Amino acid sequence: MSSSTVPATGAAAAMLLVGTSTAVSATIAGYPVLSGQALRYGLAAAILLAVVRRRRLPRAGLTPRDFLLLAALAATGLVGFNIFLVEATRYASPAMIGTVIGMIPVVLALVGPLTQRRRPAARTIGAAAVVTVGAAVAAGFGGGSPRGVLLSLGALAGEVAFSLIALPLLPKLGPLRVAAYPAAMSVPVLLAASVAIDGASALRLPTPTEAAAFGYLGALVTATAFFLWYDALRRLGADRAGLFAGLVPMGALLTTAVLGRGVVGPADVAGALVVAAGVVIGLRRPPRANGASRDGRLDRNPERANGLRELTANS
């Protein structure tokens, strides 16, 4: 099993789980949106923090910089994303929103390496473009006003921030804490925004059906998926992990078909195949040239390069 198999499987599972939220969210359409997100993130934070305590992880003191990054992650990747997404649905079709957000792999392939002072890999950029095309085919190109497109771009920016802001935090805090802390920090902000928008109705108790949906969204789509995603992000990098964001529409399609809320058509299948091809292309590493070291750089010491070739030939 290669070193990238486990994080790649985790990234795929995370994005498929996120995709299932579309069909499940249809069962809570009558509940105040932002209050529902607060319930979801509150449950996820409680689960993740309980796991942190049970595993007795060593203390990680937060510096002012860590706190600011966590607050920025909560404000953009959680609160901001949800507000932009909710507002976008007023001015654009779900297909248009899905197509815009489906650009995540391309953005992460370009920007992710730059944040780590690396040059974007041409193979990963090409694979990300293929994944984005597949996601667009699956989602379809829906209609929307210019305001809807701008709001969808805001949601895209929030989704990108969800990954990029986490990168400098992961080595110190680890995926469990990076998933838990922003989720907890977002709860009071979402509740305050919901009360400002929906008034007293924002605080009503969910029905049993709604509570079950929030339980699924909090435990699996948030706590589990966030941990898997951040673990993969730490081990694969933003550019390669970002390829799996194209699986979100696939998760939505599978759940829709299982719950009987729609029909999976030829375009859906074609999009899924294109996404799968893009992910495979992006995860394949190019063969090392003769004399190349394990990190892919050419060894400029001729004697060492010859030794590497002899060692390879004798192994």
Side-chain angles (χ1 to χ4, degrees):
M1 182 179 291
S2 69
S3 60
S4 63
T5 300
V6 173
T9 302
M15 293 298 100
L16 287 171
L17 281 172
V18 171
T20 66
S21 65
T22 303
V24 175
S25 294
T27 64
I28 53 174
Y31 196 84
V33 176
L34 297 181
S35 291
Q37 295 304 311
L39 288 175
R40 164 190 173 184
Y41 290 134
L43 174 60
I47 293 171
L48 290 165
L49 291 172
V51 174
V52 169
R53 184 174 181 178
R54 184 173 181 81
R55 294 185 62 181
R56 297 181 180 178
L57 298 178
R59 285 183 173 273
L62 296 180
T63 65
R65 177 177 178 270
D66 296 334
F67 184 82
L68 287 175
L69 286 173
L70 289 168
L73 179 53
T76 58
L78 301 183
V79 177
F81 171 77
N82 280 285
I83 291 176
F84 275 114
L85 188 64
V86 170
E87 288 299 310
T89 59
R90 304 175 189 270
Y91 304 99
S93 69
M96 173 60 76
I97 297 170
T99 300
V100 172
I101 296 178
M103 295 167 59
I104 293 171
V106 171
V107 178
L108 289 180
L110 290 171
V111 181
L114 295 177
T115 62
Q116 298 176 311
R117 298 180 181 179
R118 293 188 291 114
R119 180 181 300 176
R123 175 191 290 268
T124 307
I125 294 173
V130 173
V131 170
T132 301
V133 170
V137 170
F141 293 91
S145 66
R147 180 179 293 185
V149 173
L150 289 175
L151 290 169
S152 298
L153 288 172
L156 171 64
E159 191 71 8
V160 172
F162 177 76
S163 295
L164 296 185
I165 296 177
L167 286 173
L169 293 166
L170 286 168
K172 176 182 179 180
L173 301 180
L176 276 173
R177 288 191 176 103
V178 174
Y181 293 167
M185 296 169 73
S186 70
V187 173
V189 180
L190 286 166
L191 282 176
S194 184
V195 170
I197 294 172
D198 300 314
S201 64
L203 302 178
R204 77 168 175 86
L205 291 175
T207 66
T209 300
E210 291 170 338
F214 286 129
Y216 175 84
L217 293 172
L220 291 179
V221 177
T222 307
T224 302
F226 280 20
F227 166 73
L228 291 174
W229 176 250
Y230 281 141
D231 183 58
L233 191 68
R234 178 182 60 171
R235 297 164 70 177
L236 293 176
D239 48 352
R240 299 178 75 209
L243 297 171
F244 291 93
L247 295 177
V248 171
M250 308 306 112
L253 292 173
L254 290 173
T255 312
T256 299
V258 170
L259 296 180
R261 294 183 174 272
V263 178
V264 177
D268 302 323
V269 176
L273 293 176
V274 173
V275 167
V279 171
V280 171
I281 292 170
L283 290 178
R284 289 181 58 192
R285 291 189 180 276
R288 294 199 301 268
N290 288 340
S293 64
R294 286 189 181 273
D295 61 4
R297 293 176 293 190
L298 186 65
D299 195 323
R300 299 187 181 281
N301 186 326
E303 294 181 359
R304 183 179 177 187
N306 290 334
L308 287 171
R309 284 195 290 270
E310 292 176 4
L311 180 63
T312 303
N314 293 330
S315 60

